[in-house]
Amino acid sequence: MRKAIQLGLGLACAIAAQAQVTVDKPIPQVVQVEVNAAQKVGQPIPRTIFGSFLEPIGNSTYNGLWAELLQNPSFEAGLWTPAKIEEMLRERPELRRAGDLAIPLPWEPLNAGQGNRYEIRAGDAANSWQSLMVIGVPGEPTGIKQMVYLPVHRTRDFQGSFYARHLGGASRITVSLRLHDQNEILASQDLDVSNTGDWKKYTFALQIPEDKLHRLDPADFVVQLDDDERVELDQFSLMPADALDGLDPDEVAMAKALHSPLVRFGGNFTSSYHWTDGIGPRDKRRNMLNNSWGIPEYNTFGTDEFLAFCRAIGAQPQIALNLGSGTPEEAASWVRYVDEHWTTHSGLLWELGNELWGNWNLGWPTKGQLAQRTLDFSKAIRGVDPTARLIATGGDPEVFHDWNAIQLTIPPGTFDYLSTHFVVGTSNVKLKNASPDFVQQAALAMPIELERKLQEDQQQIDSTPGYAGKVHIAFTEWLFIGDRRSAPNFTNTSGALITGGFLNMLMRNSGTVPISDMTGIMEFAGIWKKRSQVFGTPAYYVLKMYANADAAQPVTVKADSGAYSVKQGVDRLPEIAAVPYLDVVALLSEDGRKLTLFCVNRSLQTDITAKLHLDGFAAARKANVQVLSSDLLTDANDEIDPDKVTPIDSMETIPAGEWSRVFPHASVTVIGIERK
């Protein structure tokens, strides 16, 4: 009996959970989509709503966009926080032996059985603070190694360098690439390091034979001493020969294909980043801790490299300044430097800090300090570049009012935009015992409520004397995170659907939000690299579908597809009403020769049949159609299957009169139609 009661209660809870999504109007058997291309809506959308975001976090730059294959090349201590070291040792427990022998992680001894043959030296390094002395054992191989993943699917040629100072004994060093944890040498080069006294730089080249190492297989980079040699080593580098001045060519190619017009360089690390650490000769840039994320900041990817990346992909730089440990003078000097190194510098975007309301940012200002700090930095920047467009730190969409009210006490003209961020955990719903479907529907609804919040944000700005029509919103970070496998996440198909809904919302509101940066161009919802295999998330492909469309001028579109409402949903936006199942935005190209429809089907189960009526546009007989969907909303791409979820392109015939087509459930569809 007790079991029957428990089952009954469980069923009742499940029904109650599902009841928190109410159907306002069911999906019609046939949805009528009416587009009037002759009736324009608002102003042309700026391409800057398709921007992206780059921050040194995880493996976004180092071990990612930056093609360097070695970690901790300068043998430094303190490059990882204790928590990150614990994580590294959990994944690779064999590294504990290196720590016992005073070898900086993640380097290892070539022969652990030899015991203590290594000494950290400080104070006279070739780079930063530390170097490593290695003492050879006569008649035995002695040295160090590091596990690496090589992009052999793309190239088998590798180039490298290191600094050495001969201390005694033999003078030959052999650098090689070997099969991981095996003695089989794939490629090697001998170098004579007989110099004494001063540090000297040595270069080498290694070529791996065909069929000796396969995609995703690890290798070891090995440095071996000859006989009784004693040598001091520092500042190693190992690069694929096809690196683009240090950049990974696969990641650059995927970023260029995205056609993102803006790349924001910023994030939490901004509050403790000093730009002068990342300029000058790369071999001499200091290795240090990334204060925000507990990982190394090698500074080899600095301002010049970021600008080179922007040039390579055809994007404009958008840089967040250090309003934490930095000064107005430091910010102004960075603006001057970028202006001198970016030929079309007029009107570049500069962000006055990042999430200054968060105590995780170094040197966060109190509310009493906020306005003056914003004003001081603005004056310093405008003093060196009056054309600079400034983004002041604003509050998140659902809690903006009090914070933004402080910024709006500053004299008008101090800044051009107020930022907002929305980095949200989709699993954090208010409903107890929520089903996976409820979590999905609540997450997919969020762009609809964000649209309303952003309009309220703009109303506050416009109601402030001197600000109406002069300051708008810059959505400089947005990301959807699920902490359980069944939840929408930035890496899975469900996250791609939210991305489509979010971009539709931005296109409807580009007059309010003319700037937006999806998190991020590397990692998160963008481009990943694992074991040297580069791949994009489903959300990356949705942003690519939108940013590559020849679409500028919104026109009237109506789609009576039915709607649902959410209660007790995601904690940041728990109550959302009137969420359309089929969300459609229509735009003309600048020359009016092309009409593009952006369509998101939020229904988890229903393939929506629609009849499309195109008024004011004589369509050609063929349409280009891109559809992104998958068998499961949790499907994701990875290094093993990098193309599991990608758009399917096709050409469809447009019949005379009405055009009927089916939009798959849980899908994003972009339809491009040429004028006859």
Side-chain angles (χ1 to χ4, degrees):
M1 187 63 160
R2 180 179 296 175
K3 185 174 182 181
I5 293 172
Q6 288 174 336
L7 288 172
L9 288 173
L11 180 60
C13 287
I15 292 171
Q18 292 292 27
Q20 301 306 310
V21 173
T22 58
V23 177
D24 302 334
K25 184 177 181 181
I27 300 170
Q29 189 171 0
V30 177
V31 173
Q32 304 295 323
V33 178
E34 299 178 1
V35 179
N36 188 342
Q39 191 171 35
K40 297 179 180 179
V41 180
Q43 299 299 313
I45 64 167
R47 280 192 41 75
T48 47
I49 66 171
F50 302 122
S52 196
F53 169 36
L54 177 64
E55 177 180 11
I57 177 176
N59 295 315
S60 58
T61 50
Y62 306 112
N63 310 312
L65 177 58
W66 195 243
E68 176 62 60
L69 295 163
L70 297 175
Q71 298 184 66
N72 196 1
S74 187
F75 304 110
E76 303 303 325
L79 296 185
W80 288 270
T81 58
K84 290 294 183 181
I85 290 175
E86 289 176 11
E87 181 181 324
M88 188 188 303
L89 294 177
R90 280 196 303 271
E91 293 175 357
R92 297 190 60 206
E94 71 274 14
L95 292 177
R96 294 183 184 277
R97 182 58 174 154
D100 294 339
L101 297 175
I103 301 175
L105 299 176
W107 294 92
E108 300 177 73
L110 179 59
N111 183 354
Q114 291 173 335
N116 199 348
R117 311 295 295 184
Y118 310 92
E119 181 180 83
I120 290 292
R121 294 196 164 187
D124 188 24
N127 174 276
S128 299
W129 296 274
Q130 292 190 170
S131 57
L132 181 68
M133 184 179 79
V134 184
I135 303 172
V137 178
E140 296 182 18
T142 307
I144 54 175
K145 65 179 182 177
Q146 187 176 136
M147 187 180 75
V148 294
Y149 287 96
L150 306 174
V152 291
H153 62 281
R154 193 183 70 231
T155 183
R156 292 183 173 268
D157 294 315
F158 301 89
Q159 298 172 345
S161 64
F162 63 95
Y163 284 78
R165 181 159 56 186
H166 181 65
L167 302 177
S171 61
R172 185 178 67 181
I173 283 182
T174 302
V175 292
S176 63
L177 288 167
R178 306 182 184 184
L179 293 178
H180 178 54
D181 280 344
Q182 300 181 42
N183 290 324
E184 183 176 348
I185 296 175
L186 304 172
S188 68
Q189 183 177 334
D190 296 334
L191 298 107
D192 180 73
V193 294
S194 56
N195 66 300
T196 56
D198 294 332
W199 287 101
K200 183 178 178 181
K201 184 176 181 178
Y202 298 87
T203 61
F204 57 88
L206 303 172
Q207 185 179 63
I208 295 179
E210 294 287 339
D211 299 324
K212 283 293 186 178
L213 189 70
H214 301 100
R215 185 181 77 92
L216 306 183
D217 287 342
D220 285 330
F221 173 71
V222 174
V223 183
Q224 183 174 325
L225 275 58
D226 185 28
D227 201 51
D228 64 343
E229 181 176 7
R230 292 185 175 216
V231 68
E232 199 172 347
L233 302 170
D234 201 5
Q235 193 58 17
F236 275 81
S237 177
L238 179 66
M239 284 271 192
D242 63 354
L244 304 174
D245 195 21
L247 300 175
D248 183 297
D250 282 343
E251 295 216 4
V252 169
M254 287 194 71
K256 185 175 183 179
L258 191 59
H259 281 177
S260 186
L262 283 176
V263 178
R264 175 190 189 238
F265 186 59
N268 289 345
F269 97 108
T270 290
S271 65
S272 60
Y273 180 68
H274 301 283
W275 72 275
T276 52
D277 290 334
I279 60 172
R282 290 175 192 152
D283 286 353
K284 300 302 180 182
R285 299 184 195 175
R286 293 188 299 168
N287 293 219
M288 58 183 65
L289 176 71
N290 178 325
N291 195 52
S292 293
W293 300 114
I295 58 175
E297 175 51 67
Y298 301 120
N299 283 308
T300 45
F301 185 87
T303 301
D304 295 324
E305 290 74 22
F306 172 64
L307 296 181
F309 171 61
C310 289
R311 289 190 193 95
I313 68 170
Q316 288 279 317
Q318 173 190 326
I319 296 175
L321 297 163
N322 180 351
L323 267 68
S325 63
T327 65
E329 294 75 22
E330 180 185 30
S333 66
W334 197 3
V335 172
R336 184 184 296 110
Y337 184 90
V338 171
D339 282 354
E340 291 170 352
H341 292 76
W342 188 263
T343 54
T344 56
H345 70 269
S346 180
L348 289 182
L349 286 163
W350 295 90
E351 199 164 350
L352 303 178
N354 172 79
E355 296 180 0
L356 297 177
W357 36 263
N359 63 8
W360 51 86
N361 279 284
L362 181 68
W364 53 273
T366 65
K367 289 183 178 180
Q369 296 173 310
L370 172 64
Q372 189 63 51
R373 189 173 300 185
T374 300
L375 181 60
D376 290 346
F377 275 77
S378 173
K379 286 181 177 179
I381 294 162
R382 290 263 164 83
V384 299
D385 184 359
T387 71
R389 292 182 295 155
L390 303 183
I391 304 171
T393 299
D396 280 2
E398 79 281 27
V399 290
F400 64 85
H401 187 274
D402 292 349
W403 179 272
N404 286 6
I406 296 172
Q407 295 284 44
L408 292 169
T409 64
I410 304 172
T414 300
F415 53 85
D416 305 283
Y417 305 92
L418 268 174
S419 70
T420 194
H421 290 177
F422 196 68
V423 179
V424 61
T426 60
S427 306
N428 302 327
V429 296
K430 294 202 172 228
L431 182 66
K432 296 187 183 300
N433 303 314
S435 69
D437 278 2
F438 173 81
V439 174
Q440 295 283 354
Q441 289 177 291
L444 292 175
M446 285 191 293
I448 299 301
E449 189 62 22
L450 278 172
E451 187 166 1
R452 297 161 186 154
K453 298 297 184 184
L454 291 169
Q455 290 167 358
E456 293 172 9
D457 194 340
Q458 187 65 54
Q459 287 169 8
Q460 182 190 27
I461 295 170
D462 290 341
S463 65
T464 304
Y467 277 90
K470 296 180 180 178
V471 170
H472 298 289
I473 301 167
F475 216 131
T476 57
E477 287 187 36
W478 50 279
L479 183 69
F480 306 97
I481 303 171
D483 59 8
R484 41 177 134 145
R485 190 181 180 281
S486 61
N489 193 17
F490 48 78
T491 61
N492 62 27
T493 300
S494 186
L497 264 65
I498 308 176
T499 298
F502 195 97
L503 293 172
N504 276 10
M505 179 272 291
L506 288 177
M507 290 192 292
R508 286 192 294 267
N509 295 272
S510 65
T512 296
V513 189
I515 294 166
S516 169
D517 310 304
M518 186 180 82
T519 307
I521 197 165
M522 301 299 163
E523 296 214 347
F524 297 105
I527 304 163
W528 288 73
K529 182 165 73 176
K530 291 185 178 180
R531 293 192 280 173
S532 273
Q533 174 66 57
V534 174
F535 58 93
T537 66
Y540 160 86
Y541 288 104
V542 170
L543 181 57
K544 181 182 175 185
M545 289 160 65
Y546 278 65
N548 277 271
D550 185 8
Q553 176 61 58
V555 296
T556 299
V557 60
K558 296 179 182 178
D560 186 12
S561 66
Y564 68 93
S565 294
V566 175
K567 292 185 178 180
Q568 299 186 57
V570 178
D571 57 3
R572 299 277 296 274
L573 298 172
E575 314 292 322
I576 307 175
V579 181
Y581 285 107
L582 185 64
D583 188 341
V584 183
V585 176
L587 292 95
L588 286 172
S589 59
E590 283 188 14
D591 61 9
R593 297 292 306 168
K594 187 174 184 179
L595 176 67
T596 303
L597 308 181
F598 301 89
C599 315
V600 179
N601 182 353
R602 291 189 175 93
S603 175
L604 304 185
Q605 291 89 23
T606 304
D607 296 343
I608 295 178
T609 300
K611 284 188 177 180
L612 284 72
H613 308 266
L614 306 180
D615 295 326
F617 190 85
R621 296 303 302 274
K622 294 285 186 180
N624 178 260
V625 180
Q626 293 178 291
V627 180
L628 187 136
S629 63
S630 64
D631 294 336
L632 299 173
L633 287 173
T634 54
D635 284 345
N637 300 327
D638 58 25
E639 72 274 26
I640 298 170
D641 191 355
D643 299 318
K644 183 172 184 176
V645 185
T646 56
I648 295 175
D649 288 16
S650 63
M651 296 296 295
E652 292 188 15
T653 300
I654 302 177
E658 291 182 339
W659 175 25
S660 180
R661 76 173 318 278
V662 175
F663 293 93
H665 64 279
S667 66
V668 179
T669 303
V670 175
I671 304 171
I673 310 165
E674 299 287 346
R675 192 183 289 273
K676 187 184 296 182

